[in-house]
Amino acid sequence: MAERSFAKEVKKLRMGAGEEFHGEGILAVTKALLQSGVGYVAGYQGAPISHLMDVLTDANEILEELDVHFESSASEATAAATLAASVNYPIRGAVAWKSTVGTNVASDALAQLASGGVTGGSLVIVGEDYGEGSSIMQERTHAFAMKSQMWLLDPRPNLGSIVESVEKGFELSEASNTPVMLELRIRACHVHGRFEAKDNVRPAYTLSDAMEHPVRDPSRIVLPPSSFLHEHEKVDRRWPAAVSFIQEHGLNEFFEGERGDIGLILQGGLYNSVIRALERLGLADSFGDTRIPLYVLNVTYPLVDDEVKSFCAGKDAVLMIEEGQPEYIEQALHAILRRADLQTRIHGKDMLPKAGEYTGAVLADGIRQFLEQHAPDVARLPGAAASSAAAGMEGLDEVVPPRPPGFCTGCPERPIFTAMKLVERELGEHHVSCDIGCHLFSILPPFNIGNTTMGYGLGGAGAAAFNAPGARRSISIVGDGGFWHNGLASSVGNAVFNQSDNVTVIVDNGYSAATGGQDILSSKAENPIRSTKQSIEQAVRGVGVNWVRRITNTYDVGTMRDTLREALTTESSGPKVVIAESECMLNRQRREKPVFRNLLKGGKRVVRERFGVDSDTCTGDHSCIRLSGCPSLSVKPNPDPLRSDPVAHVEDSCVGCGLCGQVAHAAVLCPSFYRAEIIHNPTAWDRFAKRVRDVVIGFFQRREARRIERYAM
């Protein structure tokens, strides 16, 4: 179950020439692919392009009508290798994945592709994930583009520019026989806007044509001596062809300003933020009219020397606005200008932060500093005296609490780590190798479990060195998405091959939960265009694991604890695998809430479970919170005036997963938790049963009150 359905929105993909397309960035990318005559599309989900994969899935019927083949790939490496169809055939292909982590996985296939070159246009759509809100290590796609000499597009974040970059990206690829990367920041993926649509184009040369007329060109395969010739071909023919195409088609943009002595050079993806910063400084308006000349690099690699020299000639100084480290473009500008003996001063990281996201406030500070040094008359204008990014922010860190990432309310992965904490009390701490996914939140309080993480599906591989004799076994974690992506071979298969005696916990949500609920091989739901319901247990047994335990309800903390204890203490040799199954609560709520609302509207009887804490019984120990960490489990003032410790309290956000009660039972905590059933649209029998309960309970309550009163006197 995908996080969001685009079934309604994809109907816009049928729009033809002259119609105005309104929508989100990812929809615009899909429309641009169809307008470009793409022959096949593949990819692997991951923010910020997960929704692009969801759009393509929902648009599969339209793709098939145009003879466009679409696949949800097993990994980014699989997606990159799919572009092999464009090596020998004039077929346009596109693939998509998440940022540098996806590019790292795809690097082997991409390097092969970039070396031999392509015949058909090949576009790699990368969801750039850089900045404070990123979920990955802070790296840039730019480095990989330079390393393999693949051209990198970074369009201005508006729908028209994005669509044009997709279309021109294919043309650039074909003109230079080189795969092209298109990076889209999260704001570009989700920006809303409009553009004039064109007719969708059926591929001129289809995959069926290629299969019926196979072409073989050994010179495109990376083998000596071809691999040596590929490098010369890149420099002598492909690079000049790319530069010529970029210039002829005006892919980079110049925005004139009234000042001729200064200017700004910027990555295209930062255009909106730069305009906002200039607007705050009184040097531009919301429509992009700027007083400072701009050179917008919609193609950040390769740079066009003639354009750089033309923009900088006659200027005293320019500011290079380049997000992230190292400052690849800034260094290249220095080289270009020095070779041309142009003395224009280049500023960049000396006035802007060396690392971190370039927000409007950050850019305003950097641009102001640049103006104060090289255009003091402009810097003294009223608008340019706007407050700095830090002004008015003092003390915010004292009143705004930090929000570290954490498990959602009712998350089925939380009880796994609760059980680990309980086992830890008995057997001591174990080395825990984490993996990419929601389970990585276990490294934070209250669990504080996890020593390292090495990559998607590499939880078991990260514990490989600990396959040594010792008093305690190590534990590794991998999610079902990571398991099918890379973990089956690299973690589980490796453990079997090397006769590991350690424990692997496979968290099975039923789909790739962390990336938005996309189906995978082991998904329980029917999928009309994919094969699902493949067993993880059969897969691990198939590669040689003999000790396997499958838990179908992770909320049963007692069973989870006992199974982990058995895995860590059994005398059985070889790798131990625990498969912990429960559906992602977030996706479950997305599916069940609409059904619940419809039943209520229809007057149907609906029962909803809620949990609570008896304030009179709660001891205030709060072990339940330390062993659960559920966002709905909080504290409130103690109603007993003789007790100062706050008592546990269950907020209204509770989804009734039952973990708190299970924890209280498994950890032998206080009996203060209770389960209640809230009945909506009760029947006559429900009302009668309630009256009976009220009478019986009221009788005992009044008797107890009289007893207390009698002894008190």
Side-chain angles (χ1 to χ4, degrees):
M1 175 188 176
E3 183 176 80
R4 175 181 168 189
S5 171
F6 291 87
K8 293 181 180 179
E9 289 91 336
V10 297
K11 295 176 182 177
K12 298 178 183 179
L13 299 176
R14 299 185 186 276
M15 285 185 173
E19 295 184 81
E20 190 170 65
F21 187 103
H22 294 251
E24 201 173 6
I26 49 175
L27 282 165
V29 170
T30 311
K31 176 59 175 167
L33 292 173
L34 300 182
Q35 293 178 175
S36 302
V38 71
Y40 62 96
V41 189
Y44 191 84
Q45 61 271 2
I49 58 88
S50 289
H51 287 172
L52 177 56
M53 302 306 298
D54 297 337
V55 167
L56 290 165
T57 299
D58 289 338
N60 192 63
E61 182 180 341
I62 298 173
L63 299 180
E64 289 182 338
E65 291 173 5
L66 293 167
D67 286 335
V68 179
H69 177 65
F70 166 61
E71 282 196 1
S72 293
S73 307
S75 70
E76 297 86 353
T78 306
T82 304
L83 289 172
S86 294
V87 170
N88 294 310
Y89 306 99
I91 309 173
R92 289 184 169 181
V95 296
W97 54 67
K98 173 187 177 74
S99 191
T100 52
V101 286
T103 304
N104 290 340
V105 174
S107 59
D108 194 359
L110 281 183
Q112 300 279 340
L113 192 75
S115 181
V118 295
T119 301
S122 301
L123 192 66
V124 179
I125 301 169
V126 178
E128 194 75 347
D129 193 13
Y130 181 87
E132 188 177 357
S134 170
S135 61
I136 62 164
M137 71 290 291
Q138 298 294 280
E139 294 185 358
R140 296 168 57 193
T141 300
H142 197 101
F144 192 95
M146 293 197 305
K147 186 271 293 182
S148 289
Q149 292 182 334
M150 297 172 62
W151 319 137
L152 180 62
L153 307 183
D154 187 4
R156 289 195 291 138
N158 64 71
L159 265 54
S161 296
I162 292 171
V163 169
E164 183 179 13
S165 287
V166 171
E167 295 172 342
K168 293 300 182 184
F170 282 118
E171 296 178 27
L172 173 61
S173 175
E174 291 163 346
S176 59
N177 301 116
T178 303
V180 170
M181 305 182 84
L182 171 67
E183 66 175 358
L184 296 173
R185 293 169 174 80
I186 187 168
R187 290 181 178 85
C189 288
H190 300 300
V191 68
H192 282 257
R194 66 186 71 183
F195 66 94
E196 186 175 324
K198 301 175 185 176
D199 290 333
N200 293 333
V201 177
R202 189 180 299 273
Y205 195 91
T206 65
L207 293 170
S208 296
D209 294 331
M211 293 166 69
E212 293 171 10
H213 305 92
V215 172
R216 180 174 173 273
D217 183 0
S219 69
R220 296 300 99 204
I221 299 174
V222 185
L223 281 173
S226 295
S227 54
F228 177 75
L229 298 176
H230 292 165
E231 185 69 6
H232 285 274
E233 183 183 284
K234 283 182 180 180
V235 176
D236 298 334
R237 188 181 66 79
R238 296 190 212 165
W239 190 310
V243 169
S244 177
F245 183 92
I246 294 165
Q247 284 184 286
E248 290 175 9
H249 292 83
L251 299 190
N252 295 321
E253 297 175 279
F254 296 88
F255 294 89
E256 298 297 333
E258 61 189 53
R259 297 295 300 237
D261 56 337
I262 57 173
L264 307 180
I265 302 177
L266 57 137
Q267 295 168 296
L270 296 178
Y271 174 81
N272 288 3
S273 298
V274 169
I275 290 297
R276 174 59 179 152
L278 289 173
E279 184 182 7
R280 292 183 63 194
L281 296 171
L283 300 173
D285 61 24
S286 300
F287 301 98
D289 291 330
T290 171
R291 298 181 58 189
I292 308 296
L294 306 180
Y295 175 32
V296 180
L297 297 173
N298 293 317
V299 183
T300 53
Y301 185 80
L303 294 177
V304 180
D305 291 16
D306 289 344
E307 290 184 354
V308 172
K309 290 183 286 188
S310 174
F311 181 78
C312 293
K315 290 183 171 58
D316 296 331
V318 297
L319 176 65
M320 178 64 231
I321 301 175
E322 176 184 9
E323 191 174 58
Q325 271 286 104
E327 62 274 45
Y328 300 115
I329 304 175
E330 184 181 339
Q331 293 173 13
L333 292 184
H334 280 288
I336 293 170
L337 296 185
R338 299 299 84 84
R339 286 173 187 157
D341 198 25
L342 288 174
Q343 301 308 310
T344 305
R345 184 79 179 271
I346 300 294
H347 292 280
K349 298 297 183 184
D350 56 334
M351 293 184 172
L352 289 161
K354 288 183 169 57
E357 185 177 3
Y358 281 2
T359 62
V362 168
L363 289 171
D365 281 350
I367 294 172
R368 184 186 302 104
Q369 184 179 344
F370 172 73
L371 295 175
E372 287 172 350
Q373 182 169 336
H374 293 284
D377 56 319
V378 176
R380 284 193 294 268
L381 292 174
S387 59
S388 69
M393 307 291 281
E394 299 87 351
L396 267 183
D397 56 341
E398 298 176 6
V399 296
V400 178
R403 290 191 61 192
F407 294 106
C408 300
T409 300
C411 176
E413 300 186 18
R414 185 180 288 106
I416 298 173
F417 300 103
T418 297
M420 279 192 186
K421 295 299 285 187
L422 295 176
V423 172
E424 190 179 274
R425 287 180 174 181
E426 301 176 36
L427 305 180
E429 293 186 5
H430 292 71
H431 177 90
V432 179
S433 176
C434 298
D435 207 302
I436 303 300
C438 296
H439 34 277
L440 194 57
F441 298 146
S442 65
I443 67 171
L444 300 173
F447 300 115
N448 302 304
I449 289 177
N451 300 75
T452 57
T453 179
M454 289 289 107
Y456 199 32
L458 296 178
F466 296 96
N467 181 23
R472 295 175 185 168
R473 292 171 175 141
S474 70
I475 305 172
S476 59
I477 314 291
V478 63
D480 46 359
F483 171 80
W484 292 114
H485 176 277
N486 194 18
L488 178 58
S490 298
S491 288
V492 179
N494 182 72
V496 173
F497 182 68
N498 289 291
Q499 299 181 334
S500 173
D501 195 40
N502 293 320
V503 179
T504 298
V505 178
I506 302 175
V507 182
D508 183 4
N509 295 134
Y511 30 69
S512 186
T515 60
Q518 293 81 12
D519 279 338
I520 52 178
L521 275 166
S522 53
S523 293
K524 307 298 188 293
E526 294 282 354
N527 190 312
I529 62 173
R530 301 285 179 261
S531 174
T532 54
K533 301 184 178 180
Q534 307 300 322
S535 169
I536 291 178
E537 181 177 358
Q538 289 183 8
V540 298
R541 290 189 183 279
V543 296
V545 179
N546 296 317
W547 197 101
V548 183
R549 299 292 185 270
R550 180 167 164 253
I551 299 173
T552 57
N553 178 21
T554 62
Y555 298 107
D556 186 348
V557 177
T559 300
M560 193 78 232
R561 174 202 57 200
D562 295 344
T563 305
L564 286 171
R565 185 197 298 117
E566 181 188 1
L568 292 167
T569 58
T570 180
E571 294 182 0
S572 175
S573 61
K576 268 69 69 176
V577 172
V578 177
I579 303 171
E581 299 179 4
S582 273
E583 183 183 6
C584 165
M585 183 58 72
L586 200 61
N587 266 13
R588 179 178 172 182
Q589 291 297 310
R590 288 193 185 104
R591 185 182 67 252
E592 292 183 350
K593 281 184 176 179
V595 176
F596 180 81
R597 286 194 296 266
N598 290 334
L599 290 173
L600 285 183
K601 290 179 181 178
K604 302 293 184 181
R605 179 182 184 272
V606 182
V607 180
R608 184 162 61 99
E609 285 190 348
R610 285 290 306 277
F611 285 77
V613 177
D614 183 353
S615 299
D616 294 328
T617 309
C618 178
T619 64
D621 174 68
H622 303 148
S623 292
C624 52
I625 295 176
R626 293 194 296 273
L627 288 169
S628 168
C630 179
S632 67
L633 191 57
S634 182
V635 293
K636 70 176 184 179
N638 200 314
D640 189 340
L642 300 180
R643 296 162 59 195
S644 59
D645 291 335
V647 295
H649 172 67
V650 179
E651 303 283 353
D652 290 338
S653 58
C654 172
V655 294
C657 71
L659 174 59
C660 49
Q662 283 284 336
V663 170
H665 174 73
V668 196
L669 302 176
C670 67
S672 58
F673 285 93
Y674 64 84
R675 180 177 65 86
E677 291 184 348
I678 302 174
I679 302 175
H680 300 266
N681 299 321
T683 63
W685 170 255
D686 291 324
R687 297 180 189 278
F688 173 74
K690 181 181 183 302
R691 286 195 296 269
V692 172
R693 283 194 297 270
D694 289 345
V695 170
V696 174
I697 294 173
F699 169 77
F700 285 107
Q701 286 178 330
R702 288 189 296 273
R703 190 177 71 173
E704 179 66 12
R706 288 194 298 269
R707 186 185 68 82
I708 294 174
E709 183 180 1
R710 184 170 62 253
Y711 281 106
M713 295 176 65

